[in-house]
Amino acid sequence: MPEPLLLIPGLMCTAALFEPQVKAFSDERQIVVADHGGAHDMHTIAGQILAEAPDRFALAGLSMGVYLALEIMSIAPDRVTRLALLDGKARPDTADELAARKALLNMADEGRYLNITYDILLSRLVAAGRSLEPGLRDTIIQMATDTGVTVFRRQMAAIINRRSYLAGLPAISCPTLVLTGKLDVITPPECAREMAGQIPHARLELVTGCGHLSALEAPDAVNAAMTTWLET
Ligand code: MLT
């Protein structure tokens, strides 16, 4: 049996984000989808994930899952056989990004948690025009509902308080896939290029017609890239 695959979802996402990957890879290996909402800082969440994880595993994270995957690489690189960074970034936030995050927290404080998804995120999470597709839209809304406001607040605090992961990239020595949708407006391709440029054994894949939630939006392309990565 090949090594297990540990998947870490993004902000306000659940295991449903990776349903296409679980379907594709669970016949051949154990798959674990991490709980990534258990604390207010990345280091503690990464420690919680490691405490529940198999001894050694292939590690894939999407967006907030990329911050956590990079945190795990700094804590326990020997447990990770290969690394996939999907739609994420290693750099810190700009002042505008930070202000936008605080505005989302304010909406939650005003009792408008689900409006964060309906009014702000839905159209930004997937490629332009695709947020009305029932399959994508219903899954995104369901994931936000299942996450809930308490976990959202913890995840957002962890994102706001995270450190820059840029300095750690050159030390990553396992086979690494860096993949991003070409139409990702949350973590655009330049963020993927930056990570792939700094990680010694990285392969960069930019997915045509795809936004931020690549695992869900472009499952065939993502599964093909992950198949190659898992066989490297
Ligand atoms: C995510 O999808 O996990 C978030 O967009 C991450 C972020 O806002 O940095």
Side-chain angles (χ1 to χ4, degrees), residues 145-164:
T145 306
D146 292 344
T147 298
V149 69
T150 304
V151 169
F152 165 75
R153 281 205 184 92
R154 286 203 291 261
Q155 291 179 336
M156 199 48 119
I159 290 174
I160 288 174
N161 295 325
R162 78 188 191 279
R163 60 196 168 90
S164 168

Side-chain angles (χ1 to χ4, degrees), residues 35-55:
D35 176 352
H36 64 310
H40 293 81
D41 68 281
M42 293 294 172
H43 189 77
T44 306
I45 301 173
Q48 292 169 343
I49 292 173
L50 281 165
E52 299 293 322
D55 282 353

